[in-house]
Amino acid sequence: MKSNNRNYKIAVIPGDGTGPEVIREALKVLDTVSKKNGFKLELTHFDFGGERYLKTGKVLTDKEAAGLKKFDAILLGAVGHPDVKPGILEKGLLLKIRFDLEQYINLRPVKLYPGVWTPLRDKGPDEIDFVVVRENNEGLYVGEGKFINKGKKNEIAIQVSRNTRKGVERCVRYAFEFTRKRNKRKKLMLCAKTNVLTYAHDLWWRVFNEVAKEYPDVQTDYAHVDATCMWMVKNPEWFDVIVTDNMFGDIITDLGAMIQGGMGIAAGGNLNPEGVSMFEPIGGSAPKYTGKNVINPLAAICAGGMMLDSLGESESAAQVENAVMTITKNKLKSLSAGKMGYGTDEVGNLVVGALA
Ligand code: IPM
Ligand code: MN
C-alpha cells in the first residue's frame, strides 16, 4: 500500500558504475531536507544491475518488477556495465521498469542554472528553461520487428513504431495539464515528423489537435524534429513545453542536456501519474570514473528533488533546486567529472550546507 502521513517508501537502485556514488550524495541531500521539513523517507536498497547479472544471470524478474509497485517512488542511479553486452541491462532493467510500471511519461527539464557554462554563446538562464514531455512506453521502443533473410545479401530488418491512441492521448493530455500549471507562458509544442511518418505521426497530430480544444488557454505550436533541433540551439527561449514521441524524445533530450550544461546536471522522471514513478540522472554509468570520487552528483540530487515534487513535497523540492543553484553559481568551476574543483562527496556536502 502507498504510504501517507508524509512517510514515503522509496526503492533505491544505485545500479552500476558511478551510480552508487551519485545516489549516496542524493540520499545525503534527501535526508537533510526531509529532517528539516519534517517528513520521512523509508529507504529500501536493491542491488539490481550489471554486477548482480554477472553473478546470477538475473536482470530483473517479473516478480521483482512487480514488487517495485509497492513503493511510493523509485530512485535510480545508473544502468550499464562494461562486461555486459549492450542492451541487456538497458532493456531488462531500465526499460522493463518503465514498461511494467507503466511510466508513460519521461519528464526532462532543460534548465540552465546560474553559473553553468553552456555551449550556446549569448544564451543564459533566461533563455534556456523549458521541459520536454517524452512518451515513455511506446513508439520504436516496443521492440517489435523482425529480420527477413537474416545474414543474407537480401536481408531486411523491420523495426516497428507502435503508437496507440490511448498511449498518445494520455501523454499529450499530461503535457497540456503540465503546461497549464508550469508558468504563465502556457506554450506547448508538438515535435514530430508528420511529413514522413505519415501513419504514426498523423495519429500524434490528430490527437494533439483534438486535445488542444480542451485547453484554449494553452497556445499550441508544431515543429518537425529536425527543425526542433535547430531551434533548440538557435532560439531555445522559444520553448516552454515540448511533447514528443519516445525516440525523438530520447534524442532531443540529450541535445537538451548539452545546452543546460551536460550530463552532470541533467535529471529526469519516468512518471506514472497514477502509479509509481522513477527518477534518475540521465547520464550513464561512466565506468571510467567509477570509484574515483570525481563524478558530478548534481544530476542525481536534482532527480531526488524531482522525486520530492512528485511525492507532493514541492516546498522541499524547490529548496533542493535552490541549493543546487547556489552551488552552481558560487562554487563549482565546471560540471564535468574531475573538473568541478571538488570531489563527488564534497559537492554533496556543499548542497547540504546550502540547505541549512
Ligand atoms: C535514456 C536512455 C535510455 C533510453 C537507454 C539507456 C535505453 O538513453 O533514458 O534516455 O534510450 O531511453
Ligand atoms: Mn537517452
Side-chain angles (χ1 to χ4, degrees):
M1 258 333 282
K2 296 278 206 126
S3 0
N4 47 23
N5 294 326
R6 303 182 75 206
N7 191 343
Y8 307 101
K9 295 196 186 82
I10 308 298
V12 182
I13 308 174
D16 302 315
T18 50
E21 288 168 69
V22 297
I23 288 300
R24 187 191 62 217
E25 299 313 311
L27 292 176
K28 212 181 215 173
V29 170
L30 290 171
D31 183 57
T32 306
V33 78
S34 64
K35 289 191 174 122
K36 179 177 150 106
N37 296 325
F39 62 92
K40 261 210 158 99
L41 298 174
E42 200 184 298
L43 308 178
T44 306
H45 278 74
F46 293 92
D47 64 351
F48 309 139
E51 291 297 336
R52 189 183 86 137
Y53 171 69
L54 290 171
K55 266 188 238 135
T56 67
K58 272 193 301 185
V59 183
L60 182 74
T61 65
D62 290 341
K63 214 173 146 209
E64 286 165 338
L68 293 171
K69 293 182 186 163
K70 289 194 302 251
F71 291 87
D72 293 301
I74 305 164
L75 188 62
L76 174 72
V79 170
H81 192 291
D83 301 335
V84 179
K85 212 174 114 207
I88 293 183
L89 299 169
E90 290 84 347
K91 267 196 157 168
L93 186 56
L94 183 62
L95 297 184
K96 186 170 171 64
I97 296 174
R98 287 179 182 172
F99 282 42
D100 283 17
L101 274 63
E102 261 190 85
Q103 294 165 341
Y104 61 86
I105 299 293
N106 194 317
L107 193 72
R108 284 276 300 107
V110 177
K111 183 168 175 179
L112 181 67
Y113 287 148
V116 174
W117 180 82
T118 173
L120 303 187
R121 199 180 62 178
D122 306 333
K123 302 293 177 190
D126 288 341
E127 283 84 27
I128 301 173
D129 182 7
F130 60 93
V131 177
V132 178
V133 176
R134 164 186 171 189
E135 202 290 321
N136 212 30
N137 280 174
E138 300 194 338
L140 279 167
Y141 276 71
V142 293
E144 251 180 71
K146 64 177 171 188
F147 296 111
I148 300 169
N149 302 325
K150 189 171 182 188
K152 308 239 176 69
K153 277 238 178 335
N154 57 347
E155 177 166 359
I156 303 172
I158 296 170
Q159 190 89 40
V160 173
S161 174
R162 194 166 199 276
N163 299 260
T164 66
R165 179 174 275 272
K166 179 186 166 204
V168 173
E169 186 171 338
R170 66 185 178 182
C171 175
V172 163
R173 203 171 276 288
Y174 177 89
F176 273 101
E177 286 291 330
F178 181 84
T179 306
R180 179 177 263 175
K181 289 190 209 115
R182 181 169 123 87
N183 61 30
K184 291 207 175 74
R185 296 180 70 196
K186 298 194 190 176
K187 280 171 62 177
L188 177 62
M189 194 193 85
L190 171 65
C191 162
K193 188 79 181 174
T194 53
N195 53 348
V196 174
L197 305 182
T198 49
Y199 297 101
H201 288 178
D202 188 73
L203 175 62
W204 274 83
W205 171 254
R206 281 181 283 122
V207 169
F208 183 74
N209 287 296
E210 281 166 29
V211 177
K213 293 198 188 102
E214 297 170 41
Y215 296 84
D217 53 322
V218 173
Q219 192 191 322
T220 57
D221 202 355
Y222 172 84
H224 294 320
V225 63
D226 45 355
T228 304
C229 291
M230 204 164 77
W231 303 129
M232 276 174 72
V233 172
K234 190 161 182 291
N235 295 100
E237 66 277 7
W238 287 356
F239 298 116
D240 177 13
V241 182
I242 301 175
V243 64
T244 191
D245 80 0
N246 208 343
M247 188 78 257
F248 289 176
D250 177 47
I251 299 166
I252 70 169
T253 55
D254 265 30
L255 178 55
M258 286 305 116
I259 69 173
Q260 78 183 116
M263 289 301 177
I265 195 83
N270 301 277
L271 312 182
N272 177 342
E274 296 85 34
V276 184
S277 301
M278 173 168 70
F279 300 83
E280 51 171 340
I282 76 161
S285 57
K288 71 173 179 185
Y289 296 124
T290 302
K292 299 207 161 80
N293 197 39
V294 294
I295 196 84
N296 187 342
L298 288 182
I301 292 169
C302 290
M306 290 179 76
M307 180 178 84
L308 295 179
D309 201 40
S310 86
L311 292 170
E313 298 292 343
S314 37
E315 177 59 36
S316 295
Q319 287 174 13
V320 170
E321 188 174 43
N322 282 325
V324 168
M325 288 198 277
T326 310
I327 300 315
T328 58
K329 184 167 181 222
N330 303 320
K331 301 283 183 187
L332 299 194
K333 284 201 281 209
S334 154
L335 295 188
S336 304
K339 298 185 183 140
M340 299 185 290
Y342 298 90
T344 304
D345 57 340
E346 290 172 313
V347 176
N349 294 343
L350 286 170
V351 176
V352 165
L355 275 168

